[in-house]
Amino acid sequence: MTTKVPDQRGRYGQFGGKYVPETVMYALEELESSLNDAMKSEEFIAHYHEELKKYSGRPTPITHAENLSSRLGGAQIYLKREDLNHTGAHKLNNAIGQALLAVRMGKEKIVAETGAGQHGVAAATVAARYGLECKVFMGEEDIRRQELNVFRMKLLGAEVVPVSSGSKTLKDATNEAIRYWVSNVEDTFYLIGSVVGPHPYPKMVRDFQRVIGDESRTQMETPNKIIACVGGGSNAMGMFYPYLEEDVDLIGVEASGKGIHTGKHAATLSEGRLGVIHGSITYLLQNETGQIQEPYSISAGLDYPGIGPEHAYLSETGRVTYKGITDQEALDALEILSEEEGIIPAIESAHALAEAIKQAPELPSSDVILVCLSGRGDKDVHTIMEHLGGEVDE
Amino acid sequence: MNKRFKEHVDGKKDLFIPFITAGDPNPESTIDLAIMLQEEGANAIELGIPYSDPLADGPVIQRASERALKNGMSLEKAMDLVPKMREKGLQIPVIIFTYYNLLLQLGEERFFALVRKNNVDGLLVPDLPYEESEEWRESCEKNETALISLVAPTTSEERLKKIANEATGFLYCVSSLGVTGTRSHFGSPVFTFLERVKKHSNVPVAVGFGVSSPEHVKELKDYCDGVIVGSAIIRQVESQVDALQNKELQKDAIEQIRAYVRDLVAPFEKSKIHS
Ligand SMILES: Cc1ncc(COP(=O)(O)O)c(C=O)c1O
């Protein structure tokens, strides 16, 4: 059995904690006590679930991928359809929860980081809905790659702040969001996008994402395997958490990018070492002396040099197994699902699907694999077009 | 207690504690800057270790970090600069200012071996708050190394008491919310904060983050025991970056920075004990 984590200090075994400048300690204390208070409030919980239902469109269904399963000729593949959430990914579950908490705490502004722009869009969306001012920090490199999401955020009334420090991507956007937060802790809520950051962020985001797994449990019998992709790890944590005590194989999928041997990957658990990133002890990609390294994946959402501390813990205890999927395998899976089921998944989610496609043929047809389809692929069409070139034209 | 802290910091007023980034723009300049700063009355030096992700730092120190990293500076190499400073006459304490990840990767044992071998005197880890620092506190004590703690205006009374109670070396007061960098002026909230800290502290109280003009020093000196100056000096280094890397111009560049520093700390009117 797994012990209850995190402990009082925000530790998941040796992982987690609060490695932040003194200036933000007060904000974390304030957040923790407000969060505990809110989670005990029936009114707050009811409001959160009401918004999930009437604004985001939950519960999301589970779809049996029948054509895909029979093509593979093994286990039956089912999809938890987080792509059907408002704004097209699981990210909104968490954004709604945190924004409602921000309002409850009397904060008027939120700040967020974004890589591909999915979390930025979710943050901008809830800011509009709940009347908050919103600043989204985004690396200059990502702004260039994700024009459409930048426009979306602006349309939703958010200010997108270009980040030119460091490598100009997600980790730097996160640094900059934290720096901004440090300077404005009194009226600003930092709305983090995954199960990362200092305690209580990883726990809070997990608790706002666990609706994925909680719903699944009421929608189907416990499957044999559950597979989810892992960037920071929020959709996977939300999917796995309610199943930790059940008899089911849990598999997290990291991005192997162009292949581990090329050095161009985001395989934090298999290639990273213990260290501190964004306020938490976990595994991260770094050089020998401890400088954080830039990860690579075709999917901007998996392109993070760290991983949530609870995943590091679940990997160490062996409760969850972590695998790697390459760009190419993910793209192939994306094409197959599009053709077979008429669902274009996000490239992130296609990583989880690719692992299911690998494993299904080895299993009897009575077995069931549940895949967390964390988001839809609309945002990726441009990237997919570049990579598939002329093949799907006409 | 660490002997260099005892001699140069403890019980003293008008402390001047400059921060420089190791290896910015090259190791030779770092050594010469340290010597010059001692000559201008520095009571201790904070030697900043460049990091890829300096969360608590503003743009000026970020850029210094990038310059130093480009030249391959690391925690270990920075610590190896200290004996070279001592050879040239540096007597004041050297405090290693490093983000926690770099320290974790080097490892506690190796770090303290270098501390002993190279005569390092203090450690400051901006992302290691009180709650996470117990182990390091103990090993610093064992190795006669001051572990410099930070307190901020947002630090609660209860935390402030705990932190002040165990403070060694000096207590670093973050002048205001935000990251390192320059600010236009201080003002009464800072003074109130400093008075609050002084009430609890048994070690000198120094204020940092944004100190960048003689007016600041004048404004602050009656409310604290000293100032920490980082970005303002680094900005001078930045303006001399090319000269510092040119053998013929290097000396002159150091003199230019010296003139700036001398002016900055003039309100302290300290007798130049080291010059
Ligand atoms: C659709 C989708 N899936 C997965 C992720 C990865 O994040 P996490 O690991 O937190 O679920 C992202 C991040 O942007 C995403 O947009």
Side-chain angles (χ1 to χ4, degrees), chain A residues 90-91 118 194 229-235 301-302 346 348 374-375:
Chain A
H90 69 291
K91 296 279 175 189
Q118 287 308 104
S194 191
C229 68
V230 180
S234 67
N235 86 87
L302 302 183
E348 290 82 7
S374 55

Side-chain angles (χ1 to χ4, degrees), chain B residues 121-184:
Chain B
D121 308 283
L123 174 64
L124 195 167
V125 190
D127 56 349
L128 188 70
Y130 179 81
E131 284 76 0
E132 308 285 5
S133 67
E134 197 178 317
E135 192 187 324
W136 286 88
R137 199 175 296 286
E138 282 168 17
S139 42
C140 276
E141 200 180 325
K142 246 186 265 158
N143 289 280
E144 291 183 5
T145 306
L147 181 64
I148 310 298
S149 305
L150 285 90
V151 289
T154 47
T155 305
S156 68
E157 200 68 14
E158 195 186 328
R159 275 176 65 79
L160 177 59
K161 267 188 216 160
K162 270 195 294 194
I163 296 170
N165 200 28
E166 299 194 35
T168 48
F170 61 88
L171 201 50
Y172 190 139
C173 300
V174 176
S175 68
S176 51
L177 303 184
V179 293
T180 55
T182 47
R183 282 160 183 70
S184 57

Side-chain angles (χ1 to χ4, degrees), chain A residues 63-233:
Chain A
T63 303
H64 183 191
E66 277 183 277
N67 302 332
L68 175 65
S69 305
S70 61
R71 172 161 158 181
L72 297 170
Q76 298 305 303
I77 296 178
Y78 285 75
L79 309 170
K80 176 62 173 167
R81 300 290 307 279
E82 290 304 301
D83 60 319
L84 295 178
N85 263 311
H86 178 39
T87 74
H90 69 291
K91 296 279 175 189
L92 200 71
N93 304 330
N94 167 51
I96 288 176
Q98 287 195 55
L100 291 177
L101 182 62
V103 170
R104 189 180 156 94
M105 290 169 72
K107 305 281 179 186
E108 285 160 8
K109 299 176 185 167
I110 59 172
V111 58
E113 79 293 340
T114 199
Q118 287 308 104
H119 174 60
V121 167
T125 299
V126 294
R129 173 126 176 117
Y130 307 120
L132 297 159
E133 220 177 276
C134 177
K135 260 195 203 344
V136 180
F137 286 86
M138 187 169 186
E140 276 179 354
E141 187 55 31
D142 289 330
I143 287 183
R144 198 185 52 73
R145 289 192 287 196
Q146 301 287 338
E147 239 178 312
L148 219 54
N149 271 343
V150 173
F151 183 70
R152 257 183 211 127
M153 287 183 265
K154 289 182 179 166
L155 196 59
L156 290 160
E159 182 193 346
V160 179
V161 186
V163 173
S164 59
S165 59
S167 49
K168 307 176 176 56
T169 58
L170 177 59
K171 86 174 169 68
D172 309 285
T174 308
N175 290 341
E176 222 48 68
I178 295 176
R179 288 184 185 119
Y180 179 85
W181 187 44
V182 172
S183 315
N184 297 276
V185 279
E186 275 151 353
D187 64 354
T188 303
F189 185 100
Y190 178 26
L191 205 154
I192 214 165
S194 191
V195 285
V196 300
H199 178 68
Y201 277 102
K203 174 185 187 301
M204 171 168 69
V205 176
R206 175 194 77 192
D207 290 345
F208 286 138
Q209 288 291 2
R210 65 171 290 169
V211 63
I212 303 171
D214 283 335
E215 268 176 23
S216 301
R217 287 185 57 172
T218 68
Q219 289 168 314
M220 69 188 290
E221 294 205 1
T222 304
N224 302 84
K225 289 176 190 282
I226 301 178
I227 306 180
C229 68
V230 180

